[in-house]
Amino acid sequence: MTRKKDIRLSSGQLEVMQALWPRGEASTADIHAVLAAERGLAYTTVATLLKRLEARGAVTSRRVGRELVFRPAVSEADVRKSMVSDLVASLFRGDPNALVTHLVKESEIDAGDLDKVRRLLQNKEHEHE
């Protein structure tokens, strides 16, 4: 998969990608079946979202018979990293500590999750030693 630094997806595009990533590749009909069941999206809406994702380089396609089959061209991790960076930049003025503080203060993170975060931070500190 191609690494892309700046990957901003609309909520609809993100839903399409979240249906595509675990499958590795899928036709428009396959993605539509998933998203129609979850959100009632029309086939034409899914097709449009896939075409836009392809134009942006987020997916590639190949023709199999009469169908287009799509494959992710960007990883979920790269999209997550880019979108979280955008969130931090726009909503928290570039301060990732403000995001963590918000999550802790608003009870978005429970005690078990805090233990996991502590371990991650300790591991990160050991990497830099």
Side-chain angles (χ1 to χ4, degrees), residues 88-103:
V88 169
S90 63
L91 199 54
F92 296 98
R93 299 181 182 192
D95 182 4
N97 295 319
L99 170 60
V100 173
T101 301
H102 168 79
L103 293 172

Side-chain angles (χ1 to χ4, degrees), residues 36-115:
E38 292 175 3
R39 288 227 6 245
L41 289 182
Y43 183 91
T44 53
T45 302
V46 173
T48 299
L49 288 166
L50 283 163
K51 285 179 189 173
R52 288 180 181 163
L53 285 164
E54 186 171 31
R56 297 183 64 201
V59 300
T60 59
S61 69
R62 64 185 173 87
R63 189 160 292 284
V64 176
R66 296 179 58 180
E67 277 191 314
L68 283 177
V69 175
F70 294 88
R71 165 171 272 150
V74 294
S75 72
E76 187 172 4
D78 286 342
V79 170
R80 185 181 298 125
K81 182 176 181 178
S82 179
M83 292 182 74
V84 169
S85 293
D86 286 348
L87 174 73
V88 169
S90 63
L91 199 54
F92 296 98
R93 299 181 182 192
D95 182 4
N97 295 319
L99 170 60
V100 173
T101 301
H102 168 79
L103 293 172
V104 171
K105 283 186 175 180
E106 297 300 319
S107 301
E108 298 290 332
I109 299 178
D110 65 28
D113 290 334
L114 283 173
D115 289 338

